[in-house]
Amino acid sequence: MERTHGTDDAPSPSSHWQGSDLASEWNDVLVLAARACDLPIAVLSLGAGLDQVPCLSIGLDASRLEFLATACRRVAQGSAKGMVLDDEQVPELAVALHAAARTKSCFLAGVPLFDADGRVLGTLCVLSRESEDWDARRGEVLALIGVHLAGCIQIRRPVNAPDDSTRKTSGQLHAELAAVEFIAMDAVVRLDTDGRVTSWNPGAERLYGFSAGEMLGAPIQRVVPEDCRAEHERMFRLCLAGGRCDSHEAGRVHKDGRNLRVLVSCAPIVDGGGRVIGVAKSACDITALRLREGELDRVSRLYSALTKIVRVIAQEPPREALFHAACQCLVEDAGFSTAWIGWFEPETGRMRPASVFGAAREFLEQVKIYADNRPEGRGLIGTVYRTGRSGVCNDMENDPRLAPWIDIVRSSRLRSVAAVPIRDGGRVAGTLNVYSHELGFFRDAEVSLLERFANGISFGLEVLARSDVMRLTRQEIENERHFADSMIESMPGVLYLYDRGGRFLRWSKSLERLSGLSADHIRALSPLDFVLESDRDRLGAAIARVFEQGEASVEVNMLSPRNGIRPYLLTGRRVELNGAA
């Protein structure tokens, strides 16, 4: 068919459209185009041939549309397969997509919209503020949506358009819309006014797990969980009344029972007479995104708890306070239901709770866990203690290892548990155990952080042990000093110790009383300073014999402020300490 770019009777944005709700009529088509092409912006221009006026958009402020006129004219000149442009070819793209100076390369892909006679009605464009790797599949999808949109525009042509051409276009539109739904990545479902499925595309089969054969004629409530049905019914009734529902998050259920999180939008299906005959719904799966967000939140909270326990360890609290702070952090900061530390009790072989924090205290009072090979010792916690390796149970009710406590588990509402070993002095001495009410709660990231948390507790115990040794050593040194002082003071006469340089090291209080000098004053003197100058040579020679021979005696006259000059017999013996005299 020959395509032309200008006729006198081609439609224009202002010519004789039936109805005044153009934007709401075609907004859903623009949403579909943007989503199917995975781009943030879609724009519709209308006009005859090259006289294009951008008039409707999603993802772009209406005040920026005028800057896209040149790009739309370029697209209108192209073939039905469309074209790709960037802001190097059309500089106005940068103005339209960036309010400030250009910082990135812009992208536009568009297709012209033709009527049944090959006249240009307008263009459909999708845009991005960044460069894109455009592929053939997205080009085909955009072209199909463009054909569908052109058909919609033809239906809204002036009332004097021939009836037979309108009927022909409507028939084509049904097949074209079905083709678009078939290749759409999202779930696209059509319902009748009773809420029964009349169309179920491959995207819906992938998302919900039900085939089209299973769902056609079935109520859509089959994939709507109980707690979401009231909201679904409200949206459904709104569409039946002619309203539309923008994208909103909702819960859905897979055929295998898995809970899904989806973004749902819906709109009424209207026949040629304007009567609502059903509802169209699209759904985009965001389950993985929400799970990832939940995991990131859990990991972030665990990091917060880990940071707090490091600060606690730095304060060197006693063991009981350290254990309590660790369990409290894991519940209040990391968000676990319950945390407790089991410490091995050699006398009974039992993992005795050393500290418990959280809602399941009663559960732990009913449970006895051992570390040996009896049935109560072959559960998760006993196994972690014996092997020294971390472990998880993400479905406590159906884990055979927890069979000895199954009735207590069911009444507790606890669904997942993780256990990691705690070491004291290099050997496994206990386990750190945390619980959650959610199935499948513990993944590799959480377990890795719990191991770091348990290592922090182990390090805290090591710090405490070193501190205890240091305190004991300091006490022993202090005791030895007191003993030495007592021995020195118990000696008769005057006792003092000095080194080879003549510096006083220790002395009895009697020297201070005899000399009348303070301790600081004596510390600055030598033994020669306490005798008459005439006796200093003899005393110096005696001191030398002490260091050389081990012992010497000498009689000298000592000068005392209190007693004047008095003779004293000095006896010296060599003392060796660490090999030095």
Side-chain angles (χ1 to χ4, degrees):
M1 178 182 295
E2 181 181 357
R3 308 294 189 184
T4 61
H5 296 286
T7 61
D8 293 337
D9 58 347
S12 68
S14 58
S15 63
H16 308 298
W17 301 102
Q18 292 180 1
S20 60
D21 57 344
L22 182 96
S24 59
E25 186 95 15
W26 296 328
N27 186 69
D28 287 347
V29 179
L30 293 183
V31 172
L32 176 62
R35 183 174 293 177
C37 296
D38 196 24
L39 292 178
I41 302 169
V43 174
L44 169 68
S45 72
L46 294 174
L50 303 183
D51 185 19
Q52 294 297 311
V53 178
C55 58
L56 187 63
S57 68
I58 60 108
L60 184 67
D61 189 270
S63 64
R64 318 299 296 176
L65 285 176
E66 61 181 293
F67 299 106
L68 294 175
T70 300
C72 292
R73 285 196 293 271
R74 291 280 297 273
V75 172
Q77 288 179 294
S79 68
K81 293 182 178 180
M83 66 168 53
V84 174
L85 301 171
D86 60 30
D87 52 355
E88 294 290 339
Q89 300 162 291
V90 184
E92 290 90 340
L93 279 178
V95 180
L97 300 182
H98 304 293
R102 182 177 127 200
T103 58
K104 300 178 182 177
S105 178
C106 306
F107 173 86
L108 177 145
V111 292
L113 308 179
F114 297 107
D115 67 7
D117 298 322
R119 296 173 299 180
V120 175
L121 304 172
T123 67
L124 172 63
C125 303
V126 289
L127 303 91
S128 172
R129 293 180 173 87
E130 301 178 7
S131 60
E132 288 285 332
D133 292 328
W134 188 254
D135 53 56
R137 184 196 67 80
R138 288 197 286 180
E140 293 171 0
V141 170
L142 185 63
L144 273 173
I145 297 174
V147 171
H148 167 65
L149 183 55
C152 293
I153 294 172
Q154 285 184 271
I155 290 177
R156 305 296 285 172
R157 289 181 69 179
V159 294
N160 60 357
D163 291 341
D164 58 344
S165 65
T166 300
R167 285 194 298 270
K168 177 180 178 182
T169 301
S170 298
Q172 291 173 340
L173 285 175
H174 183 77
E176 291 159 359
L177 182 58
V180 171
E181 290 181 358
F182 182 81
I183 63 175
M185 298 300 293
D186 291 343
V188 180
V189 178
R190 281 182 276 172
L191 312 174
D192 63 18
T193 54
D194 294 324
R196 294 187 174 276
V197 177
T198 60
S199 175
W200 187 264
N201 79 331
E205 292 181 334
R206 288 189 297 271
L207 177 57
Y208 299 117
F210 291 99
S211 67
E214 292 174 293
M215 288 303 296
L216 290 176
I220 191 62
Q221 283 85 346
R222 195 171 184 178
V223 297
V224 182
E226 287 286 346
D227 59 348
C228 296
R229 289 186 179 176
E231 178 69 7
H232 160 77
E233 187 66 19
R234 187 181 72 82
M235 298 295 183
F236 183 70
R237 294 299 171 193
L238 177 64
C239 290
L240 290 182
R244 288 174 170 80
C245 299
D246 293 332
S247 292
H248 63 282
E249 186 171 342
R252 293 294 183 264
V253 63
H254 192 273
K255 181 180 180 180
D256 62 12
R258 285 184 290 117
N259 289 321
L260 304 172
R261 300 302 297 177
V262 297
L263 282 179
V264 179
S265 57
C266 52
I269 301 173
V270 183
D271 66 10
R275 184 171 58 93
V276 175
I277 59 173
V279 173
K281 302 181 70 108
S282 69
C284 174
D285 187 8
I286 60 170
T287 306
L289 175 63
R290 289 292 179 259
L291 288 174
R292 181 60 177 161
E293 288 176 349
E295 184 172 353
L296 288 175
D297 178 65
R298 292 195 297 269
V299 169
S300 176
R301 297 184 68 176
L302 259 173
Y303 268 116
S304 175
L306 185 60
T307 301
K308 182 174 286 189
I309 198 63
V310 168
R311 291 198 295 265
V312 171
I313 292 170
Q315 300 171 7
E316 298 186 16
R319 194 184 78 165
E320 293 75 14
L322 172 62
F323 286 177
H324 176 78
C327 294
Q328 184 177 7
C329 286
L330 288 169
V331 174
E332 294 184 349
D333 295 282
F336 293 109
S337 167
T338 300
W340 68 285
I341 291 175
W343 210 249
F344 178 63
E345 190 176 69
E347 299 81 7
T348 62
R350 185 180 171 188
M351 300 299 295
R352 180 77 64 178
S355 185
V356 181
F357 199 92
R361 184 180 294 271
E362 293 183 3
F363 164 77
L364 294 173
E365 291 174 352
Q366 301 176 61
V367 170
K368 290 186 177 181
I369 299 173
Y370 292 86
D372 54 24
N373 208 33
R374 72 184 81 183
E376 292 84 357
R378 293 197 294 268
L380 174 68
I381 294 171
T383 302
V384 167
Y385 174 82
R386 287 195 307 276
T387 63
R389 293 191 299 270
S390 303
V392 300
C393 169
N394 276 321
D395 187 359
M396 293 174 64
E397 285 194 28
N398 297 300
D399 193 320
R401 295 175 295 177
L402 305 188
W405 311 282
I406 190 60
D407 292 335
I408 303 173
V409 168
R410 287 171 178 164
S411 64
S412 71
R413 298 189 300 110
L414 299 175
R415 294 297 173 261
S416 301
V417 58
V420 294
I422 298 175
R423 289 172 169 80
D424 187 13
R427 63 176 183 83
V428 177
T431 58
L432 173 64
N433 318 292
V434 291
Y435 295 82
S436 170
H437 291 307
E438 296 180 29
L439 285 170
F441 186 88
F442 295 101
R443 296 176 177 83
D444 291 343
E446 288 89 346
V447 175
S448 176
L449 284 173
L450 284 172
E451 288 174 343
R452 291 175 60 181
F453 198 94
N455 289 340
I457 297 174
S458 299
F459 177 72
L461 294 174
E462 183 180 338
V463 169
L464 289 176
R466 287 203 301 265
S467 297
D468 290 341
V469 170
M470 291 177 64
R471 281 193 293 269
L472 181 60
T473 301
R474 285 195 297 267
Q475 186 62 47
E476 290 176 346
I477 292 173
E478 191 64 25
N479 291 340
E480 290 291 335
R481 184 177 184 85
H482 285 314
F483 176 74
D485 288 343
S486 299
M487 291 296 294
I488 289 174
E489 294 302 327
S490 66
M491 292 292 182
V494 177
L495 176 67
Y496 56 86
L497 292 90
Y498 54 91
D499 60 15
R500 285 183 179 272
R503 293 188 301 269
F504 281 107
L505 303 177
R506 299 284 296 277
W507 57 89
S508 61
K509 294 292 184 180
S510 56
L511 179 60
E512 297 176 15
R513 290 192 296 269
L514 173 67
S515 65
L517 301 175
S518 67
D520 289 338
H521 196 170
I522 292 173
R523 193 173 288 109
L525 302 176
S526 75
L528 299 179
D529 295 322
F530 286 87
V531 301
L532 296 178
E533 186 174 352
S534 59
D535 291 334
R536 288 179 181 174
D537 289 341
R538 289 192 303 112
L539 178 57
I543 290 174
R545 290 198 303 275
V546 170
F547 283 105
E548 291 173 6
Q549 301 173 11
E551 186 175 349
S553 296
V554 64
E555 187 175 336
V556 295
N557 291 303
M558 296 186 67
L559 178 63
S560 168
R562 290 183 178 180
N563 301 318
I565 299 173
R566 297 182 62 177
Y568 281 88
L569 176 64
L570 303 182
T571 301
R573 288 199 176 98
R574 186 177 62 199
V575 177
E576 293 189 3
L577 182 62
N578 296 327

